[in-house]
Every structure is written in C-alpha cells, then in structure tokens.
Amino acid sequence: MLQTIFWSVGVSRFALSDRLAFSKSKTNALVASLLDVGLLEETGLQDSTGGRRAETVQISTRLGVLIGVDLGATSLEVAILQPNMQVLARHTEPADVRAGPGVVLARVRALMGQLLQQCKLASKQVIGIGIGVPGPVDFESGQLVNPPLMPAWDSFSVRDYFKEEYAAPVFVDNDVNLMALGELWRLQHSLQNFLVIKVGTGIGCGIVCHGEVYRGANGSAGDVGHICVDTEGPRCHCGNLGCVEAMAAGPAIARMATQAAQDGQSPALAASLQERGTLTPEDVGQASRNGDAAANAIIQQVGAKIGQMLASVVNFFNPSHVFIGGGITRMGPLFLASVRQSVYQRSLALSTRHLEIQYTPLAEQAGLVGAGVLAMQETLKTWKGRP
Amino acid sequence: MLQTIFWSVGVSRFALSDRLAFSKSKTNALVASLLDVGLLEETGLQDSTGGRRAETVQISTRLGVLIGVDLGATSLEVAILQPNMQVLARHTEPADVRAGPGVVLARVRALMGQLLQQCKLASKQVIGIGIGVPGPVDFESGQLVNPPLMPAWDSFSVRDYFKEEYAAPVFVDNDVNLMALGELWRLQHSLQNFLVIKVGTGIGCGIVCHGEVYRGANGSAGDVGHICVDTEGPRCHCGNLGCVEAMAAGPAIARMATQAAQDGQSPALAASLQERGTLTPEDVGQASRNGDAAANAIIQQVGAKIGQMLASVVNFFNPSHVFIGGGITRMGPLFLASVRQSVYQRSLALSTRHLEIQYTPLAEQAGLVGAGVLAMQETLKTWKGRP
C-alpha cells in the first residue's frame, strides 16, 4: 500500500482505491490509520474529474530524507531528496571515475555530509541511499561486475562503504537503469514498455518491460554500446570492430570535432578548441545551431549510427517510446531528427508506427530522481515501522 | 488456482501450496472441492523429497480437449490435445501460406474435423483453440497486421473464421511466441528470461521476460529477421541491405546449397539436387555429416550470421538461455557450434558467462504445445464453470 502511494504522486484517495483494488471505505480507513501513525501526510486539495475536490496523500516528509547519487564516467552528482522526490539540496562536479572507488567515494561521502548540514539534517534522518554507477551491477550484492569504464571498481561493494556512517540501507544500480526507473516513476506506470538510451562516455540502455525495470539474467541487460553498426568500423576497446560506442559516443564525437577543427573545415569548432583545448557534444551542437556545415555533418553521422543500433533494438523489443539522455542531448534537435530518420528507415513499419523517440523528459535529473526512487522503493519494501 | 495447477504439471499438493502461497490445509480443501466438481483429477502417486508419497493433481481430462494449430510458411500442423498437453491425434502436411486464408483455413477446418472424428469426439467437446501464424498478430483482436510472408492475410480475423463451427474460444498468436509459451510451460517458469529463435522461411524470436511472453507495444516484438548483419549485404524483401533473414534463413541456405551443387563444389549436394530438384537445410546437414566441405562452409557462414544477430540481441537482453528451433535445426551440431562461436566472440563477457545456446528442447512440438497452452491458459481465464 505504501509502495502504491509512493508510485501515485498527486493521485486522489478515490483514484487510489482503484489502483489498490480496495473498496473506497477500506482505502479511506487504511489511509486514515497511516496518517495517524505519521507514515502519510495530506498534500492539499485536487480537482477530480467529477468537479468535487478530493484530497491527495503522500509518504510523509517527516519520515526523513533520501540521498541520491549519480556517478557518471566524468562527473558526480549528489542530492538530498524528500520522499516525494523533491530535491532539497544538490551538488554536481566533474570527476574521473577511473580514479577508483577510494578517491571517488570519499568525495561523495564528504558531499553527502555537506549537503545534509546545509539542510540542517543529521545522518540518522536519512532513511535510504540510492547510487547509480556507470557499469554493470549485480543488483543483489550491490557489487560492480567487470565494469569496462571503471576497472578499479570490479567486485567493489559500494554498499559496504557507507555502512559505518549511515544506518540507512544503500542500494546500487546501473546509472541507465536508474534513469529508466526515474522516468517510470514520473510516468506513474502509464507506459509499460519503453527504453532509455544514455549516450555519454559510453552508450547504455535502461529497459522497462511489463511495467518494471528489466535487468537481465546477470544484470547486464541494456548493454547496447557494443552492438556492431559497421563490420569494417574502427576497433573498440572491447576488441571488436565497429561497435556503436566506438563510433558515436562522447570520445568519438570529440575526435571527429577536433579533426574538423584542425582540418580547417569548421571555423566555429576551431575557435572553441583554441579557447578551451577540448571539444564536447555541446560545442558541436552550438556550432550546428550557428549553421556550421561540418558540425551538422558530424551530428548526422552520429545520429545515423545511433539510429542504426536503435533500429535493431526496436525490431527486437518493439517499445512504445525511446527516451535519449546523457551529454549527447546537448547536440540539439538535428541529432534527434537524424536518429529518427535512421530508425524509421531500418525498422519494420509495425514497430515504428506508434514509436516515439524523444529526449528524456526528466533531462539531467533522470539519474538522480531514479536514485531517489530506488532508495525509497527498496526502503519501503523492508520498512519496519521506524519513526 | 486452476491456472497455477495447469502450469504445475506433476507437482504435488504439498508443493502446490507453496506455489499458491496458501496453507497446506487451505490448499487441500480447495483441491478437494475442485476434485468434487470435476475440474481437477488425481494423477496417481509421486515420490516427494521426504520419502513420503504425495498425490498430484491436474486439470481434469474430462473437461474436454483443445485444438492446437501451427501454421508455418510452408507447412501446417493440427493436433487434438488433452488439458495436460498430451497429444491425442496429430496431422502435419506441406502447405503454402501465401495461398491465402480461404484456402489454408478450409484445409485446417477439414483436418480438425477428421482428427476429432478419429478420436471419437464432437466439436462441442472442444474447450479452446490455439492457432500460431507466421506473422505479427494483434493479440487482442486476433488479427494479423502487415504480415510480410503472407500479405493476403492482412487484417484477416482467423478467430472469426472458426466461430460458426466451434463454440470454444479461439486464440491467435505469432508462431514463435507460441514456441516460447510452449517452452515456458514445459519449464514451469523455472527460467524467467529466455529467447526462442525460429529459423525457417523467415527468422523470428519469442521473448520471455519476467516469466511471461513479451509481445511488445504493438505485438511485433521479436522481429529480429531484419536486423542488419552486413551493411554491404544483399537487398532483403523489406527494402534494406544485409538483413539476417536475407542472408541466413531457409531460402538463402537453399540458394547457397544450389550454387555449391551447380558449381561442382559439392558432389553430395549435386546428387541430392538431381534426385529431388530442390535443396533444404536438412540436405546441407546430411552432406556436412558425411564430411562435405562445401556444406560445412555454408553451415559455418549461416551460423556466423545468425550468431552476429544474436550477439546484438544478447547484449541488449541478457537472457539466460537461447533456444533455436525451426527447419534450421536439421543442419546439425556444427551449426550450433558456429552460432555459439559467433555470439561468444561478439557479446560481452558478462552477458555470455552463463548463457546457454541450445536447440529447442520441445523440438518440432514446441509450436503445437504452445498453441495448446495458449488455448488452455486463455480458456481458464474466462472459465465460467462449464461442465
């Protein structure tokens, strides 16, 4: 019941009885008793369809707070969230995940402390911690398994690291799975089968199947970065030729952009390169918006490769929606158009007839919200009546 | 409860109470009452782990029979099955699905009548009909949607066709989904996430996700035949280049084998071609078993292409098992070895660490059993206490 209420933000008691398949009076009685013990709180009045005003409830914010952590390959983000996923405090900064768990997690722990202090909260008020990492995770043990972008983390237990300081349970999952979980929560299960593709330093995919995040037999489902899109393509760090990750993720985009800048094909990219020394998808997007032909060509090429990979995945999975997130979204609308064109050309008509391809609606917050949702969802599963 | 019993063939009452999450006494009482009304029957004694002998129950065979139909692109199969999926009578013959629904279904209807007569059964004793077709099906309406191998069937309602003659409900699904359902039933849900690949005239995939057959947003999930395995490959009937179906399904194999026979590369295939005028995967398998080098080369090439497609699918879906069925299984063990080699080379270590690739354990019966399971499962959902 708490689980259903958590997944039904802003839903009236009336609609809630429907979702729980309980009678209205039983729902009212249960809600009343949960309000009494302080597990729920009322969130004001809402217009229901019948014109009457029905009260909505939510998990009580007085229960405590959640900490969400989103570790990327090149950045880290920490936030304090309320049980309704409202962000109380948040900090993001560049980081190199290859520095290893000792360095990176020490910084995360320091940031957790600072943010809690900022909110005038003590560590015992934290009821759950959710952490997303850019590699495959064995969900049961909370350990990373053979993470290609972060070899020093292999078999490291992120969960145990925070045990000393926090009594709250710690849950660890792959970053893209958490983006999918965040979107699923936002959508309140209104979509049952969709994908979230993250294109950053690597390429990964979160899968929602039958209304649940699907992790696969070994927790490695969604590892689409090594799908081959060109049998004659460049060699990937995995050893194979023409993986989409080697041809269309962040480093490949930076390489193509640098090439265009150095070859004199793009004055705009050359200027950015001179100014900052490196180029990102955002620079390419900016140059494209200013009409730079070389930047446009890079975006179309990258979009075509991602679209080709997606076409295979769409033929296989037939999702209703594909949401694209990660640093690549800064390349702008031309990128999305190129992806769509490539998918529609290569996928079957039936699979794409109602297919929507968009940027992630939660944008850069998807991973963090997902981390919070994971923490709250898993904490509720084992809730033993604390406060 | 009936659903659980149907999915638990040979399971003791004791184990059943576990699966139902009911107490032993509640399970016993419910089973007793269902035995009383004739919905269940006892199936003798079974050795339980404790050394005691526990009785097993099943859906009563006196309720009636099911009809299972497996339509392939080039064959049709009809069977009468008991509620425990035991086949009472069965008939298979070549057929051309392109002849259209009128011709093909008239033949199916005639065979249904003959087989019932053979079993001394009347049409009113049929409690459910399950039909597999080689194309995408909108499961709710029971209609085919844009089937590439059978254009004349587009929007045709197979379900309505049998309404006049049979009071029993008719359920239609894609043939590979039914193979997956058949294997799922045989496995009694012991595997939660697996794939069934059928390679015949086309290539399709049945998906089991979270212990249920997954059909996708529009019922076209598993359409893996048009995944690109060679960007420079031959043009497929779908319009794209290098689809795996154009390079490794039945017609491509026949073409390669004919070429090898005509070029003088394979005396064995030349002899078979002269004898029967056409070549099949079975001929290639036979020649290979006799040490024919050209046949071996064809098998390895086809296995590599199917394996390349499967590698993408395995990276994405991370199944625990992949079962391969259809006419291609007659190519023998070398084919399976080639597929495995190609998948293990191209998929990530984590996805393949525990991955099993085998021929479908139910072999040629998978589709028919799946049709029977569909009929029984869906019929039980709407059971209104008939007989």
Side-chain angles (χ1 to χ4, degrees), chain B residues 25-304:
Chain B
S25 60
K26 183 173 176 186
T27 305
N28 276 334
L30 280 167
V31 164
S33 72
L34 290 169
L35 284 167
D36 269 357
V37 297
L39 280 171
L40 298 183
E41 65 187 12
E42 289 175 338
T43 52
L45 301 166
Q46 187 202 36
D47 266 46
S48 80
T49 47
R52 300 171 45 218
R53 296 167 76 82
E55 286 162 58
T56 60
V57 290
Q58 65 179 18
I59 304 291
S60 173
T61 52
R62 281 161 307 178
L63 285 188
V65 293
L66 305 153
I67 301 181
V69 179
D70 188 11
L71 280 185
T74 59
S75 67
L76 64 82
E77 193 160 12
V78 181
I80 312 293
L81 303 107
Q82 287 189 321
N84 60 4
M85 296 304 122
Q86 202 176 313
V87 174
L88 297 177
R90 166 180 187 179
H91 176 88
T92 178
E93 67 182 32
D96 185 353
V97 81
R98 289 168 304 180
V103 176
V104 177
L105 293 182
R107 181 66 190 145
V108 169
R109 185 158 59 182
L111 286 170
M112 285 178 173
Q114 283 172 30
L115 290 172
L116 282 173
Q117 207 173 6
Q118 203 177 306
C119 301
K120 300 192 186 358
L121 291 162
S123 62
K124 68 175 167 28
Q125 285 167 282
V126 177
I127 55 173
I129 301 175
I131 302 181
V133 293
V137 174
D138 178 66
F139 189 69
E140 296 307 318
S141 72
Q143 290 184 357
L144 281 98
V145 189
N146 279 355
L149 294 174
M150 45 203 297
W153 295 64
D154 191 19
S155 302
F156 186 86
S157 175
V158 177
R159 187 185 293 170
D160 290 347
Y161 187 90
F162 294 97
K163 260 192 182 161
E164 270 180 43
E165 202 154 340
Y166 295 92
V170 179
F171 306 97
V172 186
D173 202 352
N174 175 266
D175 57 348
V176 199
N177 288 348
L178 291 187
M179 290 171 73
L181 188 66
E183 296 293 348
L184 186 64
W185 180 81
R186 179 190 67 85
L187 291 159
Q188 294 191 17
H189 283 106
S190 61
L191 300 181
Q192 291 290 303
N193 308 298
F194 66 86
L195 303 177
V196 175
I197 305 277
K198 181 182 183 184
V199 186
T201 307
I203 299 180
C205 177
I207 305 171
V208 173
C209 181
H210 294 141
E212 275 179 72
V213 173
Y214 171 74
R215 297 185 174 92
N218 307 97
S220 78
D223 215 331
V224 298
H226 302 279
I227 288 181
C228 175
V229 289
D230 185 352
T231 39
E232 320 269 283
R235 191 165 295 277
C236 176
H237 59 83
C238 78
N240 284 304
L241 297 177
C243 295
V244 66
E245 188 165 304
M247 300 185 76
I253 297 168
R255 205 166 48 238
M256 285 186 270
T258 306
Q259 190 78 44
Q262 289 170 345
D263 288 357
Q265 293 167 44
S266 166
L269 289 173
S272 301
L273 182 62
Q274 202 173 2
E275 199 183 317
R276 285 190 308 282
T278 58
L279 289 172
T280 65
E282 191 166 4
D283 295 319
V284 179
Q286 194 54 50
S288 157
R289 274 185 287 270
N290 294 333
D292 187 280
N296 285 346
I298 291 171
I299 290 177
Q300 280 164 333
Q301 197 181 328
V302 170

Side-chain angles (χ1 to χ4, degrees), chain A residues 93-105:
Chain A
E93 66 181 34
D96 185 352
V97 80
R98 289 168 304 178
V103 177
V104 176
L105 293 183

